[in-house]
Amino acid sequence: MSDIRIMRIGHRPERDKRVTTHVALCSRALGAKEVFVDTYDPKLEENIHSVSENFGGDFSVKTGVKWQDAVKEFDGKVVHLTMYGRRLDEALPEIPKDEDIMIIVGAEKVPPEVYQRADFNVSVGNQPHSEIAALAIFLYLYTGGETLYADKGGRMTVIPNERGKTVVENIPR
Ligand code: SAM
């Protein structure tokens, strides 16, 4: 599987802190390697790093990155998730699995340049909903959900359970 990067644009630190945090957590859980956020937000970086320290993996988050710069330095296909895009079921088979992809999600109105630059403008249904939902559905279908229960080698591992909470604390090697 190729590397998956997420570019979150239009982040307003006060208003969007919870949604952007969830964009990052959802990306991490569903197998992405890195998330870029256009507005500098050290608190957001700190929150995501602390989740990775506890639950493992090498997911990274960088804020204050312009989407134009992220895309310029990226070698792969750019997928923009938008309710106006092509049907997911039709576009998905054309999106390569052997090339890295960068997925762009918006917050408020997305500039027309993003639509022009994207290799694929893809809708997850034709109703307006949420960047977290669109990302989760896209990533699940693109990856087949293969990372959902992967051991990330963190300080803590959650063991699936019918009832109650089972958390194993791993001894550092
Ligand atoms: N009205 C905004 C626009 O014109 O782009 C949409 C704002 S929506 C709250 C925030 C983001 O969620 C969008 O930029 C898009 O990435 C994602 N999104 C929302 N609904 C979607 C859908 N049906 N399919 C794909 N992405 C969607």
Side-chain angles (χ1 to χ4, degrees):
M1 177 66 67
S2 54
D3 286 344
I4 303 168
R5 291 187 163 75
I6 312 299
M7 177 74 233
R8 160 49 156 184
I9 62 174
H11 171 66
R12 298 152 293 185
E14 274 324 300
R15 190 170 161 179
D16 298 323
K17 65 180 166 210
R18 198 148 184 275
V19 175
T20 305
T21 299
H22 287 194
V23 162
L25 292 178
C26 160
S27 305
R28 175 180 172 276
L30 282 143
K33 205 175 170 53
E34 189 165 32
V35 65
F36 301 114
V37 178
D38 57 355
T39 312
Y40 179 59
D41 189 342
K43 184 80 193 141
L44 176 77
E45 292 187 10
E46 200 183 303
N47 288 343
I48 303 302
H49 286 147
S50 112
V51 172
S52 292
E53 267 178 32
N54 286 324
F55 293 95
D58 59 358
F59 184 77
S60 90
V61 52
K62 283 193 197 116
T63 68
V65 179
K66 282 196 205 157
W67 73 265
Q68 294 93 332
D69 294 339
V71 162
K72 205 183 293 169
E73 285 166 25
F74 172 71
D75 184 16
K77 294 285 188 255
V78 175
V79 178
H80 169 219
L81 296 181
T82 164
M83 64 182 279
Y84 306 106
R86 293 174 58 200
R87 288 178 63 118
L88 173 64
D89 51 354
E90 289 176 7
L92 199 60
E94 294 174 26
I95 302 176
K97 298 268 168 66
D98 57 354
E99 266 187 82
D100 293 348
I101 62 166
M102 180 176 286
I103 305 170
I104 301 181
V105 291
E108 42 179 6
K109 197 172 177 339
V110 171
E113 292 76 19
V114 172
Y115 292 79
Q116 284 145 22
R117 171 57 188 85
D119 297 294
F120 300 92
N121 286 290
V122 179
S123 60
V124 181
N126 58 359
Q127 300 295 322
H129 47 83
S130 132
E131 46 275 52
I132 305 165
L135 199 51
I137 293 171
F138 179 87
L139 286 173
Y140 184 77
L141 292 174
Y142 183 74
T143 64
E146 64 183 27
T147 63
L148 284 178
Y149 294 99
D151 183 5
K152 292 185 183 293
R155 279 188 207 149
M156 289 187 253
T157 305
V158 175
I159 309 297
N161 214 342
E162 174 75 29
R163 279 190 191 81
K165 300 177 184 174
T166 308
V167 182
V168 174
E169 289 212 26
N170 301 308
I171 300 157
R173 277 172 256 155

